């Protein structure tokens, strides 16, 4: 049987004898060592493939814990506001553990794959005319009177569960990385990693905590600009958040680890998404690619990363957002008849893609 985060990291999680085990097989995601980009940039790069979680994003790490505690409290309905991945994750756990799942989403702003997931798992989907921050405000206002358990990252158990990402990285590397680049939306995940690394430090499993580098999109960068952004804009919908719920914890994480908040343009995000796919064989969603985009920007004006161990948290799978990918990932499709001769001519004469350059 697959091991569960619930059992494996029980000691570090808010689990009592009354807490029921909840699992969809989350966690234990691959930490893949880069070859091509590491060589190019003279450092050791590792990609944490959080898109390999059951609902294809890191949200499952927090959701198993939040849902477990909801069941312990005898709640039978969960609710969240979502830019997409929280709703997909909540709906999946809700389905397995027989909880009604209500998701409040900003109308027209959810990536197609994420919306399909919430539908497939059978959530009640309420689409509002407004942005994520307004959806979250509504959830905060409604949940008490309707006796609904909030499973957004303002639920402290979400952040506890997400600490397991840090535990896995240290358990695998047997040390702490020097840097960690990750996208920042509501700023819960960066706060969780900070807590997780701190716990492992106090257990003497590591001496230092990596420098945490939180990456935001240019017009959706409340942490970098140090102010609330009323109408945040970016193609990276998972980090299109103007008023991060965990901003105070995240600021502490950056301050105490000598880290930084950085911002990158949508073009830099899309370029990074393409680079990860074409050079490392990893197709992640735009928000996740912001982590690499942040590094590519950082390296232009710094050299303290050279020969260092750098982890990138690739938070979600690229297939979740086919529309952005279709618009931006260029590749040529060669149309031919079904004749063997035409097909082989097409193979030999292909001109532009890397594949052809390499093999002919
Ligand atoms: C939720 C999410 C983020 C942002 O995480 P926060 O904890 O909100 O900062 C980044 N990438 C993806 C794919 C997400 O789903």
């Amino acid at each position: 049987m697959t091991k569960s985060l619930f059992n494996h990291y029980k000691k570090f999680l808010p689990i009592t004898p009354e807490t029921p085990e909840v699992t969809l097989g989350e966690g234990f995601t691959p930490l893949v060592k880069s070859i091509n980009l590491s060589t190019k940039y003279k450092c050791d790069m590792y990609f944490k493939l959080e898109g390999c979680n059951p609902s294809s994003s890191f949200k499952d790490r927090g959701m198993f814990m939040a849902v477990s505690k909801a069941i312990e409290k005898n709640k039978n309905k969960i609710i969240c506001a979502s830019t997409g991945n929280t709703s997909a994750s909540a709906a999946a756990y809700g389905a397995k553990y027989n909880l009604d799942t209500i998701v409040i989403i900003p109308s027209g702003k959810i990536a197609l794959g994420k919306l399909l997931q919430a539908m497939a798992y059978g959530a009640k989907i309420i689409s509002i005319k407004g942005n994520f921050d307004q959806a979250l405000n509504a959830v905060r206002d409604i949940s008490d009177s309707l006796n609904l358990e909030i499973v957004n990252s303002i639920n402290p158990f979400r952040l506890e569960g997400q600490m397991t990402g840090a535990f896995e990285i240290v358990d695998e590397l047997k040390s702490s990385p020097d840097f960690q680049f990750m996208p920042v939306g509501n700023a819960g995940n960066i706060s969780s990693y900070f807590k997780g690394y701190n716990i492992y430090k106090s257990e003497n499993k590591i001496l230092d905590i990596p420098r945490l580098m939180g990456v935001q999109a240019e017009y959706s960068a409340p942490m970098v600009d140090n102010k609330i952004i009323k109408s945040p804009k970016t193609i990276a919908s998972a980090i299109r958040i103007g008023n991060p719920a965990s901003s105070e914890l995240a600021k502490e994480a950056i301050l105490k680890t000598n880290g930084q908040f950085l911002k990158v343009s949508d073009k830099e995000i899309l370029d990074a998404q393409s680079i990860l796919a074409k050079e490392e064989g990893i197709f992640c969603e735009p928000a996740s690619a912001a982590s690499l985009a942040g590094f590519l920007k950082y390296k232009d004006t710094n050299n303290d990363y050279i020969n260092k161990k750098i982890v990138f948290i690739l938070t979600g799978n690229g297939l979740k957002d086919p529309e952005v990918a279709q618009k931006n990932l260029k590749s040529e499709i060669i149309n031919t008849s079904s004749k063997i001769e035409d097909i082989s001519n097409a193979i030999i004469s292909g001109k532009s893609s890397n594949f052809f350059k390499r093999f002919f």
Side-chain angles (χ1 to χ4, degrees), residues 191-299:
S191 305
S192 283
Y193 271 93
F194 178 58
K195 284 183 75 176
Y197 282 119
N198 264 309
I199 287 182
Y200 261 28
K201 192 177 170 194
S202 65
E203 294 269 316
N204 294 319
K205 287 180 187 268
I206 46 173
L207 295 174
D208 282 314
I209 297 176
R211 292 178 65 184
L212 294 175
M213 312 295 276
V215 188
Q216 301 207 287
E218 192 172 15
Y219 299 113
S220 183
M223 302 304 300
V224 185
D225 300 346
N226 209 8
K227 61 170 192 217
I228 293 171
I229 312 288
K230 282 248 166 61
S231 350
K233 289 186 182 61
T234 168
I235 44 98
S237 55
I239 51 172
R240 193 187 289 140
I241 291 173
N243 186 10
S246 301
S247 60
E248 290 311 310
L249 267 173
K251 275 184 205 161
E252 191 193 337
I254 295 296
L255 199 69
K256 297 256 172 78
T257 65
N258 189 25
Q260 272 183 33
F261 288 116
L262 306 157
K263 57 180 174 181
V264 292
S265 69
D266 278 3
K267 163 127 193 354
E268 289 167 323
I269 289 175
L270 292 169
D271 287 348
Q273 185 189 30
S274 178
I275 289 168
L276 278 165
K278 297 204 164 73
E279 311 231 357
E280 297 287 347
I282 298 169
F283 184 30
C284 65
E285 67 172 284
S288 315
S291 58
L292 178 67
F295 167 79
L296 294 177
K297 184 156 246 182
Y298 182 81
K299 72 154 182 48

Side-chain angles (χ1 to χ4, degrees), residues 21-184:
E21 180 179 359
V22 163
T23 182
L24 281 175
E26 57 291 315
F28 311 105
T29 56
L31 185 65
V32 177
K33 195 170 188 335
S34 142
I35 298 177
N36 295 324
L37 294 177
S38 281
T39 309
K40 193 162 176 180
Y41 299 119
K42 303 186 175 59
C43 53
D44 279 335
M45 298 164 85
Y46 294 84
F47 301 109
K48 183 81 169 146
L49 304 192
E50 292 291 275
C52 294
N53 276 295
S55 80
S56 306
S57 86
F58 79 84
K59 297 295 197 295
D60 297 341
R61 284 184 190 281
M63 201 57 72
F64 91 86
M65 197 67 252
V67 165
S68 167
K69 295 307 263 188
I71 297 169
E72 185 181 341
K73 287 189 263 179
N74 280 322
K75 301 271 182 151
N76 56 12
K77 292 188 178 66
I78 55 178
I79 187 168
C80 64
S82 182
T83 62
N85 282 333
T86 300
S87 58
S89 182
Y93 287 86
K96 177 164 176 182
Y97 292 95
N98 301 312
L99 305 169
D100 290 334
T101 306
I102 299 131
V103 306
I104 314 279
I105 57 172
S107 157
K109 293 185 177 149
I110 301 289
L112 181 62
K114 302 175 188 180
L115 185 61
L116 292 179
Q117 285 181 288
M119 290 164 70
Y121 297 129
K124 178 174 246 181
I125 302 168
I126 298 166
S127 175
I128 64 160
K129 284 201 191 92
N131 61 28
F132 170 83
D133 300 293
Q134 290 161 314
L136 185 59
N137 283 339
V139 164
R140 288 183 203 259
D141 288 347
I142 294 163
S143 61
D144 268 354
S145 58
L146 297 179
N147 195 25
L148 305 167
E149 179 79 349
I150 303 180
V151 294
N152 279 103
S153 59
I154 55 173
N155 176 326
F157 300 120
R158 276 274 308 277
L159 295 202
E160 300 279 317
Q162 284 168 212
M163 298 190 307
T164 55
F167 301 158
E168 286 175 20
I169 289 169
V170 173
D171 288 347
E172 194 154 344
L173 294 178
K174 309 279 181 243
S175 69
S176 165
D178 299 296
F179 287 85
Q180 177 168 301
F181 283 80
M182 61 195 299
V184 170

